[in-house]
Amino acid sequence: MFPMTRMRRLRRNETFRRMVRETELHVSDLILPLFVRPGSNVRNPIKSMPGQFQLSVDTLVEESKAIRDLGIPAIILFGIPKMKDALGSQAYAADAIVCRAVEAVKKACPELCVITDVCMCEYTDHGHCGAIEPNRDGRPDVDNDKTLELLVNESLAHARAGADMVAPSDMMDGRIGEIRMALDEHDLSDVPVMAYSAKFASAFYGPFRDAAESPPSFGDRRSYQMDPANLNEAMREIELDIEEGADIVMVKPALPYLDVIRWAADNFDLPIAAYNVSGEYAMIKAAGANGWIDEKKAAMESLLAIKRAGAKMILTYWAKDAAKWLAEK
Ligand code: PBG
């Protein structure tokens, strides 16, 4: 008790603070999301995400070298196809943009881990994450089991192109097991699956839908993504994905769901990933640009908090900046 106990004693200088610091962010914790589209020499700024760009395969390769040189271990790729249709055929076509990007990046930077986002929303003309059929109420909805087939095709296409890991983000039931089995049957048993397990139907994905040109043309994603109110359901989603063979489970978004990350880290021994999403990035960027907040400090505090909550891997648009900031210290 005070005055015997004085918590401030070990906060007095930076040496003490370093010695007692419980959590440290490392560059090896970071994964950078990138957007790739057809064309050459493309570097389209994404308006709602300052500092982020849609790239073509050639500029992506240049970017990948810079990322590797910063010590960032991994990127995750999102594709913007040349055309969209009802079943998202450009997600799994032989010349799919993500497959071409994977081949080119792996050739230039073999040591960089290339993860691919597996989902339909960037490739369908309706912008939903799967095949649309009328549901029991007669309303159009994403058909779970029909979508599984598309996701399997997409995962196989990415893995055959050389993706180091596939990351299904669609939230269909049973997809992790189906993808795992298909990879194993096709001699791709070495390819790990990072499951977007607890993915919430979040307003914080807004800027991403600009970046990936994937807003749903009708309705929303609440019939497949989770209700932000539910922690028990997140536990069940994570348990199911682990049973189905996930190697890494993800919680998304990160900051509004630190409790879910903590729960997952306390209950499972496999690596937990967290996605510091576009809206979390855009808010700090906007406030920083206005001089209302110190972007670097707010970003690094966010990433540290996500790590403290229990995430081993953090998908973040700040990965390059954070790598530089970490190296400055
Ligand atoms: C695809 C997908 C989305 C994000 C990652 N994968 C969008 C969505 O589900 O609507 C969002 C990432 C971000 O906001 O940074 N389904």
Side-chain angles (χ1 to χ4, degrees):
M1 291 289 275
F2 179 81
M4 294 277 285
T5 302
R6 289 179 180 269
M7 296 303 287
R8 291 183 55 195
R9 274 184 205 121
L10 294 178
R11 288 179 204 149
R12 216 180 65 234
N13 61 43
E14 182 55 16
T15 304
F16 277 152
R17 289 193 294 268
R18 270 181 64 207
M19 289 168 68
V20 302
R21 190 158 292 146
E22 297 171 41
T23 308
E24 242 170 311
L25 186 70
H26 301 293
V27 66
S28 52
D29 302 327
L30 306 172
I31 300 172
L32 178 64
L34 290 169
F35 302 93
V36 61
R37 65 175 309 142
S40 63
N41 207 18
V42 177
R43 204 174 161 81
N44 290 346
I46 299 163
K47 250 171 80 187
S48 52
M49 299 173 69
Q52 305 301 313
F53 301 85
Q54 293 179 339
L55 303 169
S56 47
V57 172
D58 53 339
T59 48
L60 172 70
V61 166
E62 289 318 303
E63 187 71 12
S64 300
K65 292 179 188 161
I67 292 160
R68 173 201 58 196
D69 293 346
L70 284 166
I72 297 166
I75 59 174
I76 179 164
L77 293 179
F78 295 88
I80 300 133
K82 59 178 184 242
M83 69 95 179
K84 305 192 184 209
D85 56 28
L87 293 178
S89 61
Q90 287 303 309
Y92 39 85
D95 64 338
I97 180 70
V98 165
C99 296
R100 288 181 32 226
V102 168
E103 286 160 3
V105 173
K106 286 308 294 181
K107 196 164 161 217
C109 307
E111 65 279 52
L112 186 67
C113 172
V114 180
I115 308 169
T116 58
D117 182 86
V118 170
C119 195
M120 284 294 132
C121 59
E122 295 123 71
Y123 307 97
T124 51
D125 50 13
H126 45 73
H128 278 285
C129 301
I132 301 291
E133 290 289 337
N135 67 13
R136 282 174 65 94
D137 309 321
R139 277 191 284 274
D141 196 0
V142 174
D143 183 276
N144 194 87
D145 298 7
K146 231 178 135 177
T147 301
L148 292 181
E149 222 175 289
L150 308 179
L151 298 167
V152 162
N153 290 341
E154 186 181 11
S155 302
L156 288 174
H158 292 176
R160 284 181 178 133
D164 293 296
M165 175 145 52
V166 291
S169 69
D170 51 282
M171 289 301 279
M172 296 305 117
D173 290 323
R175 89 268 207 223
I176 301 303
E178 294 287 318
I179 290 169
R180 181 70 272 155
M181 278 191 296
L183 290 170
D184 292 356
E185 276 164 21
H186 290 86
D187 220 14
L188 295 161
S189 57
D190 281 348
V191 178
V193 177
M194 173 192 267
Y196 285 71
S197 298
K199 177 172 177 181
F200 291 87
S202 173
F204 291 97
Y205 306 152
F208 172 93
R209 292 176 189 169
D210 276 356
E213 302 179 9
S214 63
S217 63
F218 63 90
D220 53 41
R221 303 207 200 288
R222 287 182 298 171
S223 82
Y224 40 104
Q225 298 180 354
M226 286 186 51
D227 186 330
N230 295 352
L231 175 62
N232 289 331
E233 192 184 330
M235 300 179 194
R236 292 191 67 201
E237 285 282 8
I238 292 169
E239 282 165 2
L240 284 166
D241 284 356
I242 294 172
E243 279 170 22
E244 289 178 33
D247 299 279
I248 297 168
V249 292
M250 194 200 298
V251 174
K252 175 182 174 197
L255 292 176
Y257 300 91
L258 294 179
D259 57 328
V260 183
I261 298 173
R262 180 78 262 160
W263 179 86
D266 282 347
N267 286 278
F268 295 109
D269 294 331
L270 80 182
I272 311 296
Y275 201 139
N276 179 223
V277 301
S278 57
E280 299 174 58
Y281 175 81
M283 287 192 298
I284 292 179
K285 275 281 177 188
N290 272 297
W292 298 336
I293 208 168
D294 179 325
E295 179 194 341
K296 172 180 166 182
K297 285 187 180 153
M300 291 306 266
E301 182 178 331
S302 301
L303 297 174
L304 185 71
I306 296 165
K307 178 127 190 224
R308 190 197 63 234
K312 173 59 192 102
M313 305 176 191
I314 306 172
L315 294 85
T316 177
Y317 302 99
W318 274 296
K320 280 177 73 183
D321 296 311
K324 288 177 201 156
W325 294 331
L326 286 167
E328 275 168 16
K329 282 201 299 191

